[in-house]
Amino acid sequence: MSSIICSKTIKPCSESVRSASISFFVSVVSDGVCPGVANPLETYLTTEPPESITFDDPSLEVTLLLRILHSISRYWFYLYDNAACKEIISTSEFINSKLTAKANRQLQDPLVIMTGNIPTWLIELGKTCPFFFPFDTRQMLFYVTAFDRDRAMQRLLDTNPEINQSDSQDSRVAPRLDRKKRTINREDLLKQAESVMQDLGSSRAMLEIQYENEVGTGLGPTQEFYALVSQELQRADLGLWRGEEITLANPKGNQEGTKYMFNSRGLFAVPFGRTTKPAHIAKIKMKFRFLGKLMAKAIMDFRLLDLPLGLPFYKWMLRHETSISSHDLMNIDPGVAKSIQHLEDIIRQKKRLEQDRSQTRETLQQALESLNMNGCSVEDLGLDFTLPGFPNIELKKGGKDVPVTIYNLEEYLRLVVYWTLNEGVSRQFESFREGFESVFPLHHLQYFYPEELDQLLCGSKSEMWDVKTLMECCRPDHGYTHDSRAIRFLFEVLSSFDAEQQRLFLQFVTGSPRLPVGGFRSLNPPLTIVRKTFESTENPDDFLPSVMTCVNYLKLPDYSSIEIMREKLLIAAREGQQSFHLS
């Protein structure tokens, strides 16, 4: 199959290229031709440094050697058939503490940031050898190089509150960020979000959201806006994602009865077939273009999304789609992936038989036809050349009438993988990239690996909260100290929350259901707990806690028992969302 593929270099503007592209598309949908998987190791196994490295240093040869070793550790399985997709050595083992310390000194100097005087070696190493630096260093480097200096300075102050306040007040380094406020209605939120992104998505100004008939404004409502729009984009009726339909455990308002898409491995685009109606394609592409713009704006404004995307989505985002292979099916549809693995094993057995010179034509045919999957021959599986789960998508022209046999099984498997991961979703991702790059160029994300983009976009992953960390990161004030009974109760309650209860609490207190990377330590402003006061005749046990999400401020009554506090916190977290009023 691979011998059929054209290997000519494609030049964007020539008529011959357009002709070749059209010809190739026709060959995909008509003849079942598809390109082979690119081996990412080929980029690294070279004696020459990449063009993007321009600095000359005695350490360059060692740097390139480490780059090669890391790539082998990361991509070795592309050299073998049916190998496990695991790093030999964890990427974290390649972090260089001395380089990191040097980089952090540069990136935490307000004058360096405001003058744009970032050394060339740091930018180039960050993109070509990101494994030298931990995620938070590369994240700061990304903000310094991808955006304007005021935004980078604001990011520095947000993530390093210990920086001397006199520096932040210095007229030379104080960030001057414009802000644009939009007031929206909670009804038909997705449509209004599309309008907001159309008008302000590409703006350098920080977007702030306020809701009609609600007094809250600033950080909390804006964070909630991104979280709620993320949820709206997962609605089943939009037809964007593969997965199963579910309903929310605690629906509010128009969420009642609404179905959402869920995939335990993360969301990935539903493929288009060659007969998909143009109007439907245009509608889906418009949603992906909006998603791209929303993501880019959230990153630019330091906001978090709540969108559980799969690893293959992030590979497309970083333009790694040519190296996506059957391994990635496990992160889209584990059921189909396991069946593909069984069938690929049959192909390996077939190749071994064909290479056995002791076989005669007759014995080879008998041996091939005896190959089976769980006792079933390939022919008895009843497969045809349509995409599993999508009977209307033919893998090649007339595919629904072409049965899969032991002799065309390899072609079938190659087409299933290609249509699932590439051909069927390419138009959606082209639109996504178009929307994203209307805000800032995607090449700035070269500082990150695909599996790290979820942290960049959605913040810290769910993990248990321990009392020690909460005591170090949260600030009792105005009536409470770390020794107060209510504070001890609170930390004990929070440390017992499961993942869903954590999400509810964070959404209630901060406006976002996820913490930034670094957890409570990175929350800015830090979670502050103050005593909610009452008249002497009133019983605190009769009242719910309240919050000020713009400053991560929890007003907590001094409850008489830990059980009452737990009950009241969960009631408030469930009932107090999707509204911002005076408390």
Side-chain angles (χ1 to χ4, degrees):
M1 183 70 69
S2 59
S3 62
I4 304 174
I5 308 306
C6 175
S7 60
K8 293 180 181 177
T9 301
I10 296 180
K11 296 180 180 179
C13 298
S14 68
E15 285 298 324
S16 62
V17 168
R18 294 192 189 95
S19 172
S21 299
I22 294 170
S23 173
F24 180 74
F25 175 74
V26 170
S27 67
V28 170
V29 298
S30 299
D31 306 325
V33 175
C34 59
V37 175
N39 186 340
L41 271 173
E42 293 176 3
T43 306
Y44 299 93
L45 300 183
T46 173
T47 57
E48 297 298 320
E51 292 181 2
S52 52
I53 289 185
T54 61
F55 66 88
D56 190 15
D57 188 89
S59 65
L60 185 57
E61 286 190 0
V62 175
T63 298
L64 295 177
L65 176 60
L66 285 168
R67 186 171 184 262
I68 290 171
L69 291 174
H70 175 262
S71 68
I72 293 172
S73 170
R74 185 174 174 84
Y75 302 117
W76 66 274
F77 52 83
Y78 279 89
L79 300 173
Y80 298 91
D81 202 14
N82 197 35
C85 305
K86 290 183 178 180
E87 291 179 318
I88 299 174
I89 303 171
S90 170
T91 294
S92 62
E93 296 293 330
F94 287 86
I95 292 174
N96 187 297
S97 58
K98 290 186 178 180
L99 275 178
T100 298
K102 195 171 183 179
N104 286 340
R105 281 197 296 272
Q106 296 283 338
L107 295 171
Q108 292 174 8
D109 186 332
L111 287 176
V112 169
I113 290 178
M114 289 307 288
T115 57
N117 195 24
I118 302 295
T120 302
W121 67 264
L122 178 53
I123 297 171
E124 293 179 358
L125 272 188
K127 289 187 175 180
T128 57
C129 304
F131 53 83
F132 279 141
F133 308 102
F135 177 84
D136 54 354
T137 299
R138 285 180 281 123
Q139 188 177 31
M140 189 63 212
L141 180 58
F142 161 71
Y143 276 105
V144 168
T145 56
F147 305 116
D148 54 272
R149 295 170 189 178
D150 288 301
R151 191 172 248 95
M153 189 64 212
Q154 186 63 57
R155 178 68 184 179
L156 176 64
L157 296 178
D158 287 348
T159 54
N160 294 273
E162 71 277 4
I163 287 181
N164 193 307
Q165 287 302 307
S166 62
D167 284 343
S168 65
Q169 299 302 320
D170 190 320
S171 61
R172 294 173 297 171
V173 299
R176 300 178 180 86
L177 281 175
D178 290 335
R179 298 176 186 272
K180 290 190 177 179
K181 185 187 293 185
R182 285 290 293 266
T183 301
I184 63 174
N185 192 297
R186 289 185 179 273
E187 299 299 319
D188 204 5
L189 185 64
L190 187 57
K191 185 176 181 180
Q192 293 186 72
E194 290 173 343
S195 175
V196 169
M197 287 299 142
Q198 181 66 32
D199 296 343
L200 300 177
S202 304
S203 169
R204 300 294 97 182
M206 298 276 284
L207 173 64
E208 289 192 354
I209 296 295
Q210 184 171 10
Y211 297 99
E212 287 182 7
N213 304 317
E214 297 179 26
V215 296
T217 186
L219 179 63
T222 305
Q223 280 284 33
E224 191 202 46
F225 166 78
Y226 282 102
L228 292 178
V229 174
S230 298
Q231 191 175 77
E232 284 294 288
L233 280 167
Q234 297 171 60
R235 282 189 354 228
D237 63 310
L238 297 179
L240 302 179
W241 311 111
R242 298 175 68 117
E244 59 178 301
E245 295 186 7
I246 62 167
T247 54
L248 299 183
N250 297 288
K252 288 192 60 95
N254 56 11
Q255 297 172 349
E256 192 79 46
T258 302
K259 298 276 189 180
Y260 296 87
M261 297 306 295
F262 171 77
N263 190 324
S264 61
R265 299 302 183 100
L267 299 173
F268 191 72
V270 169
F272 290 149
R274 64 188 184 90
T275 59
T276 305
K277 294 180 180 178
H280 178 70
I281 291 174
K283 182 180 177 182
I284 298 297
K285 285 174 64 177
M286 185 176 70
K287 286 290 186 289
F288 273 92
R289 192 176 297 112
F290 162 70
L291 173 60
K293 185 169 282 194
L294 179 80
M295 271 193 188
K297 185 63 175 172
I299 293 172
M300 188 168 74
D301 284 1
F302 328 128
R303 307 300 181 221
L304 296 178
L305 296 178
D306 186 28
L307 202 55
L309 299 172
L311 184 58
F313 188 105
Y314 292 128
K315 289 186 177 182
W316 263 97
M317 197 167 164
L318 292 180
R319 302 187 186 279
H320 295 178
E321 65 271 17
T322 57
S323 62
I324 296 178
S325 68
S326 59
H327 299 300
D328 293 283
L329 282 177
M330 190 60 74
N331 290 312
I332 293 175
D333 191 326
V336 169
K338 287 175 183 175
S339 297
I340 294 291
Q341 287 173 358
H342 286 306
L343 293 172
E344 286 179 335
D345 188 53
I346 291 177
I347 293 298
R348 283 187 285 275
Q349 295 176 53
K350 175 175 178 282
K351 288 181 177 179
R352 285 195 292 270
L353 287 170
E354 290 171 337
Q355 292 167 2
D356 182 358
R357 295 186 178 182
S358 67
Q359 297 275 6
T360 65
R361 182 178 297 180
E362 290 75 16
T363 59
L364 176 60
Q365 183 176 351
Q366 288 177 357
L368 292 178
E369 291 176 355
S370 69
L371 294 175
N372 65 82
M373 175 177 165
N374 299 326
C376 247
S377 69
V378 173
E379 289 77 3
D380 289 342
L381 293 174
L383 300 172
D384 55 37
F385 274 69
T386 58
L387 193 62
F390 302 90
N392 294 326
I393 298 181
E394 293 185 329
L395 301 176
K396 60 182 183 178
K397 191 173 182 180
K400 66 178 182 298
D401 300 318
V402 180
V404 177
T405 69
I406 187 63
Y407 302 103
N408 62 15
L409 176 61
E410 187 172 3
E411 177 192 14
Y412 168 77
L413 294 179
R414 195 155 40 217
L415 285 168
V416 167
V417 172
Y418 185 64
W419 272 89
T420 300
L421 297 167
N422 291 85
E423 185 60 38
V425 298
S426 61
R427 285 172 284 184
Q428 296 92 309
F429 282 106
E430 286 165 6
S431 295
F432 168 83
R433 288 169 176 169
E434 181 185 320
F436 194 103
E437 294 204 307
S438 69
V439 182
F440 71 89
L442 272 164
H443 69 76
H444 285 301
L445 296 178
Q446 286 177 327
Y447 296 113
F448 306 103
Y449 296 107
E451 64 272 19
E452 294 177 324
L453 291 184
D454 183 68
Q455 294 180 67
L456 182 69
L457 284 160
C458 304
S460 179
K461 293 181 179 178
S462 177
E463 56 187 30
M464 291 302 293
W465 298 339
D466 62 88
V467 173
K468 182 175 181 291
T469 301
L470 292 167
M471 288 185 68
E472 292 172 354
C473 303
C474 302
R475 190 175 68 191
D477 206 350
H478 295 298
Y480 285 141
T481 69
H482 278 105
D483 296 323
S484 300
R485 180 185 65 174
I487 297 300
R488 286 187 281 108
F489 282 173
L490 175 66
F491 292 165
E492 195 171 329
V493 169
L494 293 182
S495 66
S496 71
F497 277 177
D498 60 27
E500 185 56 35
Q501 290 167 337
Q502 288 179 354
R503 286 173 56 85
L504 284 170
F505 177 77
L506 290 173
Q507 179 91 52
F508 174 58
V509 175
T510 71
S512 171
R514 292 179 69 163
L515 289 167
V517 174
F520 277 107
R521 296 181 192 281
S522 301
L523 191 62
N524 185 58
L527 176 60
T528 302
I529 307 105
V530 300
R531 183 169 182 165
K532 193 168 188 176
T533 57
F534 304 97
E535 298 294 333
S536 58
T537 56
E538 294 177 322
N539 183 358
D541 289 352
D542 296 333
F543 293 87
L544 294 174
S546 56
V547 295
M548 293 171 61
T549 56
C550 55
V551 287
N552 301 327
Y553 210 75
L554 174 63
K555 300 177 182 179
L556 185 69
D558 187 11
Y559 294 115
S560 60
S561 72
I562 192 171
E563 293 78 18
I564 291 175
M565 180 179 288
R566 180 184 177 85
E567 177 190 0
K568 297 294 185 180
L569 272 173
L570 288 173
I571 292 173
R574 290 193 180 102
E575 303 300 325
Q577 297 186 25
Q578 298 198 27
S579 62
F580 290 88
H581 299 288
L582 291 174
S583 60

